[in-house]
């Protein structure tokens, strides 16, 4: 496929789970710009991270691209080159996000706004490929109070004060109103993010941009007791990522891809779309990226039968029909032991463990997880799957 875009605009957001965004069903969250992008682009319904290390996922997305301007709030990227996995020719600008004690008085004073203002300046300087990397969602929830108030009903208890990102494990005595309030504050951050995204797109204008908005990893918001960026088992809160790809030529607008994909696949796609010769090379390992660019023409891109995630909180295998999770003891907040099994896509939030009801599927997936734990990474990615495990019972 010939390149279809002379310029890329990639907005990579750390700590952004798919489930709380309007294009993925959370219509109560106000994100008009992101919703409009979904209407113009291809939404990936089942993109899964293979790790909870955001730096590695970012490299999977943009590593190998040339002539990249990276605007980031993470100081680890201060020097481009081998130390961070990016090409030495990339230019890097750091606008560090710092923890804050109180909310900002104005949107322009927030960490996200400062980052996106620097990105808009980079657009004005004529960068060919611009990558905006935001980690602020895991550092400071500093949206002004009126952003939070927009999510509060008159009878709601007040949300948690301050701009600190919470990090705790909810217990039986945790007030449910506290969890609701925390999600309201996070939703306010998303509305702020959406406003910043609108400003950046306005600065970019109507030029021949291919735009990708993508998450790097999620964060617990109480669906599985963990709240905040602390380690937790690899539920969808952590590894199910949003991704919206808006083609410069408008192909596949308002379409959805239901197939399994990884950030490395999106990275291979970006390289092909801008004509990098390396994109034509076949991957040597099953976890390496496979270009999905043919989706934009005729839906002929290669599919995956599984995605394997290895995180600090445990391991997971996701197929079209199942998600199996083997938590690590240090991150396991449940009294239940062993591998957990969830039917996909029906159990969107992984709330109903059916391990005791589907013994054959459990045994097969648990065997792959045991293989993975024993160091058999390639075998876990390539061992044949039974039709029941690959496709589920839907």
């Amino acid at each position: 496929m010939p390149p279809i875009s002379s310029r890329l605009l990639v907005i990579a957001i750390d700590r952004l789970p798919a489930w709380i965004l309007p294009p993925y069903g959370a219509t109560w969250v106000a994100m008009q710009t992101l919703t409009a992008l979904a209407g113009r682009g291809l939404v990936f319904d089942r993109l899964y991270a293979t790790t909870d290390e955001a730096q590695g996922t970012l490299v999977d997305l943009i590593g190998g691209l040339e002539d990249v301007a990276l605007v980031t709030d993470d100081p680890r990227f201060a020097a481009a080159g081998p130390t961070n996995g990016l090409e030495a020719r990339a230019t890097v600008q750091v606008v560090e996000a710092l923890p804050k004690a109180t909310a900002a008085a104005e949107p322009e004073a927030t960490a996200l706004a400062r980052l996106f203002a620097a990105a808009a300046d980079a657009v004005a300087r004529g960068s060919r490929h611009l990558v905006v990397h935001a980690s602020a969602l895991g550092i400071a929830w500093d949206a002004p109070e009126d952003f939070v108030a927009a999510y509060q009903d008159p009878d709601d208890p007040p949300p948690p004060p301050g701009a600190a990102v919470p990090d705790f494990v909810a217990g039986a005595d945790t007030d449910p109103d506290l969890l609701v309030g925390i999600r309201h504050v996070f939703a306010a951050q998303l509305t702020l993010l959406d406003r910043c995204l609108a400003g950046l797109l306005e600065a970019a204008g109507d030029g021949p941009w291919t735009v990708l908005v993508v998450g790097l990893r999620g964060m617990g918001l109480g669906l599985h007791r963990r709240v905040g960026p602390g380690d937790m088992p690899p539920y969808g809160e952590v590894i199910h990522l949003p991704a919206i790809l808006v083609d410069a030529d408008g192909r596949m607008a308002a379409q959805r891809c239901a197939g399994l994909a990884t950030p490395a696949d999106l990275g291979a796609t970006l390289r092909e779309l801008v004509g990098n010769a390396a994109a034509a090379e076949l991957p040597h390992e099953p976890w390496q990226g496979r270009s999905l660019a043919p989706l934009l023409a005729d839906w002929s891109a290669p599919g995956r039968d599984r995605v394997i995630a290895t995180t600090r909180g445990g391991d997971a295998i996701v197929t079209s029909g199942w998600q199996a999770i083997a938590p690590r003891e240090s991150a396991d907040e449940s009294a239940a032991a062993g591998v957990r099994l969830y039917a996909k896509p029906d159990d969107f939030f992984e709330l109903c463990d059916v391990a005791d009801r589907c013994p054959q599927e459990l045994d097969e997936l648990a065997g792959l997880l045991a293989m993975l734990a024993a160091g058999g990474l390639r075998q876990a990615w390539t061992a044949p799957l039974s039709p029941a495990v690959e496709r589920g019972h839907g």
Side-chain angles (χ1 to χ4, degrees):
M1 175 182 291
I4 55 82
S5 175
S6 59
R7 306 180 80 182
L8 296 177
L9 175 57
V10 179
I11 301 99
I13 313 296
D14 193 16
R15 302 298 184 185
L16 184 66
W19 72 270
I20 200 168
L21 302 182
Y24 293 84
T27 55
W28 62 276
V29 179
M31 299 188 75
Q32 295 181 349
T33 303
L34 189 71
T35 302
L37 280 177
R40 292 169 46 203
L42 176 61
V43 177
F44 290 85
D45 282 331
R46 303 201 67 194
L47 177 75
Y48 286 91
T50 58
T51 176
D52 60 350
E53 295 292 342
Q55 186 173 9
T57 300
L58 183 63
V59 171
D60 282 345
L61 284 165
I62 66 172
L65 289 174
E66 300 177 351
D67 301 323
V68 173
L70 172 64
V71 182
T72 176
D73 57 8
D74 187 340
R76 292 179 297 175
F77 288 94
T83 58
N84 61 30
L86 300 178
E87 293 290 338
R89 283 170 288 185
T91 61
V92 181
Q93 179 181 358
V94 178
V95 184
E96 187 172 0
L98 299 173
K100 296 183 180 180
T102 58
E106 300 293 338
E108 293 74 19
T110 62
L112 282 171
R114 292 173 54 244
L115 174 70
F116 276 78
D121 290 341
V123 168
R125 293 194 296 270
S127 302
R128 181 185 175 197
H129 302 318
L130 176 62
V131 177
V132 185
H133 168 232
S135 62
L137 290 180
I139 297 173
W141 291 358
D142 57 351
E145 292 181 357
D146 58 326
F147 279 66
V148 180
Y151 288 96
Q152 294 284 297
D153 289 330
D155 296 334
D156 285 343
V165 178
D167 192 6
F168 65 93
V169 177
D173 57 347
T174 301
D175 186 349
D177 286 337
L178 173 63
L179 299 180
V180 171
I182 286 172
R183 291 170 193 157
H184 286 168
V185 176
F186 189 74
Q189 290 299 125
L190 297 181
T191 299
L192 172 66
L193 170 64
D194 196 70
R195 173 170 170 162
C196 296
L197 179 60
L200 177 60
L201 293 176
E202 182 178 359
D206 297 324
W209 294 96
T210 288
V211 179
L212 174 66
V213 180
V214 61
L216 297 178
R217 61 180 165 179
M219 177 169 57
L221 290 170
L223 297 180
H224 298 94
R225 301 184 62 189
R226 164 61 64 181
V227 176
D231 292 348
M232 64 178 293
Y235 292 105
E237 280 185 283
V238 177
I239 64 172
H240 184 196
L241 305 178
I244 300 171
L245 180 65
V246 182
D247 173 48
D249 288 344
R251 293 178 296 176
M252 291 299 172
Q255 300 298 309
R256 305 188 77 97
C257 175
L260 295 172
T262 69
D265 295 334
L266 290 182
T269 303
L270 295 179
R271 292 191 295 274
E272 180 170 348
L273 291 180
V274 298
N276 281 27
E281 297 179 3
L282 293 175
H284 299 291
E285 299 292 352
W287 53 83
Q288 292 179 314
R290 305 170 181 178
S291 175
L292 303 175
L295 287 175
L296 298 172
D298 57 11
W299 295 103
S300 63
R304 290 187 176 274
D305 65 358
R306 80 200 77 183
V307 173
I308 295 178
T310 300
T311 74
R312 288 167 295 185
D315 300 323
I317 296 180
V318 184
T319 71
S320 293
W322 304 98
Q323 182 164 339
I325 297 173
R328 304 201 199 291
E329 285 189 22
S330 60
D332 189 1
E333 307 298 346
S334 171
V339 174
R340 300 166 197 174
L341 185 64
Y342 304 93
K344 292 293 179 178
D346 293 346
D347 191 358
F348 186 83
F349 297 102
E350 300 99 44
L351 296 178
C352 183
D353 182 359
V354 295
D356 60 346
R357 283 171 269 175
C358 303
Q360 292 181 335
E361 292 82 358
L362 175 66
D363 287 348
E364 183 174 339
L365 288 166
L368 293 179
L369 288 166
M371 188 183 299
L372 179 66
L377 177 63
R378 195 173 196 283
Q379 295 91 328
W381 275 93
T382 58
L385 300 179
S386 67
V389 162
E390 180 177 352
R391 297 191 292 270
H393 298 295

